[in-house]
Amino acid sequence: MQNIIEHLRQRSIESLFSMASFSTVWQTWQSEIKKTASKPTERQILSLGDCLYDIFYSTNSVGRGQSDVSAGGAVWEALVCWYLNLCLVGR
């Protein structure tokens, strides 16, 4: 049985994956995350925060326009939100 906080956390994460730009880059990020921690321990999950920039940058494109920069800010926020929610599960 899930409490209200965990239910809201789940809905928040689901909404991240409904963003087209997040879904597009997630495959790349997921493989970068797995390189960092294939079968993550609690310590590795917490240490993943130190790698978020590198994970985010793995989908960087050259010659970005203003709309790309704006979308980049939104997916950076989504990645950080995903990570924080991951760290806070059950707390």
Side-chain angles (χ1 to χ4, degrees):
M1 187 169 157
Q2 194 177 50
N3 67 36
I4 187 69
I5 300 298
E6 294 305 321
H7 173 74
L8 292 173
R9 183 184 322 283
Q10 180 181 348
R11 292 197 52 207
S12 174
I13 296 300
E14 287 169 355
S15 72
L16 295 177
F17 284 93
S18 69
M19 287 175 44
S21 52
F22 186 82
S23 296
T24 301
V25 295
W26 178 251
Q27 294 294 5
T28 302
W29 289 351
Q30 187 177 30
S31 92
E32 291 296 315
I33 291 166
K34 286 181 180 179
K35 286 180 194 174
T36 304
S38 59
K39 293 189 178 196
T41 63
E42 288 178 18
R43 184 172 185 84
Q44 287 175 315
I45 289 171
L46 292 176
S47 296
L48 191 58
D50 296 334
C51 305
L52 287 183
Y53 173 78
D54 295 327
I55 292 165
F56 175 75
Y57 200 76
S58 69
T59 53
N60 187 35
S61 60
V62 178
R64 300 176 303 175
Q66 186 59 40
S67 64
D68 297 324
V69 172
S70 177
V75 293
W76 169 252
E77 181 180 345
L79 177 62
V80 171
C81 181
W82 170 84
Y83 172 71
L84 290 174
N85 277 288
L86 176 67
C87 290
L88 295 171
V89 167
R91 298 189 198 271

